[in-house]
Amino acid sequence: MNAKMVKRSIIAGVFTFSALFAAGSVTAAPKKFAGELAYQHVQYLTEEIGPRVAGSENETKAREYIIDELEKLDLKVEEQKFSYTKGESANVIAVKDNKHTDKQIIVGAHYDSVSNGKGADDNASSVGVILETAKALEKRNLAYDIKYVFFGAEEVGLRGSNYYANNMSTEEIDNTIGMINLDSLLAGDKVYVYGGAGEDGWIRDLALDIANKKNIPLETNPGINPEYPEGTSGDWSDHAPFKAKGITIAYFEATNWGLGDLDGYTQTEKHGGIWHTQNDHLEFLDREFPGRVQEHLNHFTNMLTWVLADIKKEL
């Protein structure tokens, strides 16, 4: 854990920072701390709304919250409704349009959770990071369209991401430079990025290069488990349907590949897995891992912002 931690206080439910750090160093500049807004989103989704089970009223409340936040930005926002065997849900799609190209990067994360805990790590964390990143990039000119997609019903079989990917036209698939997925960013001992094998790992490699230059402790799967070669991951999150379409993927996550079955499922040395348990809420994470939530939100928000600002690839 970085020794340069942030001091924090919660007053009337609003998260503030009394010390700021960015890119691995402390700064006295009176500016917003990357990850501060993401924390506020996590706090609202988990403490005001609570568990967001697929197809439930709380999942709908979370979707409405996400739409409200996106509509504050200069984005085109729409819902993509779908049904599945046991219910109904919807994806939220927001587009930052570059009028000079039809090429796009898809950035995605699911907003539903299981009934255990409050789903702070899995996956309000990623929703918060994407919403803050979208705001940070609102006025930036980027190389491609950015399509932010918040998937419903991930916890019951990747329903939202499967629906989105299966309804992509051939033209949209051809125009998609890559898909960046975020899932479970708070609890894990280490911060990771994964990608495809060989040249299909170029977004992961870009992220690792940026992290090295910015002094961010970002790692990738070390490959000690032969079932998951170095730099890659399993197909258990919302990147999988896009990978199946031949789209280059990258995947940000916090966990610990050196524990348990060496498959990334055992997130922490201290408490094992946090996701899908009663411990997946901010009070537990802040108590048991002081500063980790803020540090991870800072790292992932900075990394996603930098990658989207720097990414360039000719198809």
Side-chain angles (χ1 to χ4, degrees):
M1 183 63 61
N2 193 324
K4 298 172 180 176
M5 287 300 178
V6 226
K7 294 180 181 178
R8 56 183 173 79
S9 60
I10 301 176
I11 302 175
V14 178
F15 180 78
T16 60
F17 284 86
S18 58
L20 303 175
F21 70 95
S25 62
V26 171
T27 173
K31 62 182 181 179
K32 288 287 185 180
F33 167 86
E36 179 179 358
L37 182 58
Y39 189 102
Q40 293 176 21
H41 291 310
V42 174
Q43 189 177 45
Y44 188 89
L45 289 165
T46 59
E47 300 303 320
E48 297 299 322
I49 296 177
R52 303 164 304 283
V53 175
S56 69
E57 181 180 355
N58 276 4
E59 191 197 38
T60 299
K61 288 180 180 179
R63 181 164 67 250
E64 291 171 347
Y65 175 78
I66 292 167
I67 291 171
D68 287 344
E69 292 300 311
L70 292 169
E71 287 180 341
K72 297 174 183 177
L73 308 176
D74 186 21
L75 301 170
K76 301 174 184 177
V77 184
E78 64 175 296
E79 282 186 83
Q80 184 187 46
K81 296 181 179 181
F82 61 90
S83 59
Y84 55 99
T85 307
K86 295 184 178 180
E88 297 181 349
S89 186
N91 299 323
V92 178
I93 303 166
V95 180
K96 178 176 173 58
D97 186 35
N98 179 338
K99 295 180 173 55
H100 303 293
T101 182
D102 292 324
K103 304 297 183 184
Q104 69 176 14
I105 304 292
I106 297 173
V107 180
H110 72 92
Y111 63 91
D112 65 315
S113 74
V114 298
S115 58
N116 281 343
K118 296 181 180 179
D121 178 54
D122 186 11
N123 193 27
S125 59
S126 301
V127 174
V129 166
I130 294 176
L131 287 174
E132 179 169 343
T133 298
K135 183 174 178 62
L137 294 174
E138 181 183 11
K139 304 301 182 183
R140 296 280 296 272
N141 294 319
L142 304 178
Y144 308 110
D145 293 348
I146 305 296
K147 186 170 284 183
Y148 305 105
V149 187
F150 299 84
F151 302 113
E154 186 266 359
E155 297 289 3
V156 290
L158 310 182
R159 302 290 183 170
S161 52
N162 270 305
Y163 186 84
Y164 184 94
N166 288 336
N167 282 276
M168 294 177 74
S169 66
T170 300
E171 182 180 16
E172 183 180 4
I173 292 172
D174 290 342
N175 282 330
T176 301
I177 302 292
M179 188 276 175
I180 301 174
N181 178 46
L182 297 89
D183 201 348
S184 300
L185 307 180
L186 301 184
D189 291 333
K190 301 179 181 182
V191 295
Y192 292 94
V193 63
Y194 319 119
E199 293 184 0
D200 280 341
W202 67 269
I203 301 177
R204 173 202 61 226
D205 294 343
L206 171 64
L208 289 170
D209 183 58
I210 292 171
N212 182 57
K213 293 175 181 177
K214 299 288 189 176
N215 196 29
I216 302 296
L218 186 68
E219 301 181 25
T220 193
N221 167 23
I224 51 181
N225 184 335
E227 293 185 21
Y228 306 102
E230 182 178 359
T232 69
S233 182
D235 292 336
W236 45 65
S237 187
D238 288 309
H239 58 283
F242 298 89
K243 178 183 173 183
K245 298 290 182 183
I247 295 171
T248 296
I249 64 95
Y251 172 17
F252 287 104
E253 178 188 48
T255 188
N256 191 332
W257 280 82
L259 301 175
D261 293 331
L262 309 178
D263 57 3
Y265 267 81
T266 306
Q267 296 170 286
T268 72
E269 185 173 359
K270 185 175 183 181
H271 288 290
I274 304 299
W275 44 31
H276 295 192
T277 74
Q278 290 292 332
N279 292 332
D280 189 3
H281 58 86
L282 287 174
E283 181 182 359
F284 176 86
L285 294 171
D286 285 337
R287 181 181 71 245
E288 295 299 311
F289 306 102
R292 178 173 294 185
V293 168
Q294 293 81 7
E295 185 176 61
H296 284 196
L297 289 174
N298 175 262
H299 290 333
F300 284 117
T301 302
N302 276 328
M303 286 306 310
L304 183 60
T305 302
W306 290 330
V307 167
L308 292 178
D310 290 356
I311 197 168
K312 291 182 178 64
K313 179 77 172 180
E314 294 299 325
L315 293 183

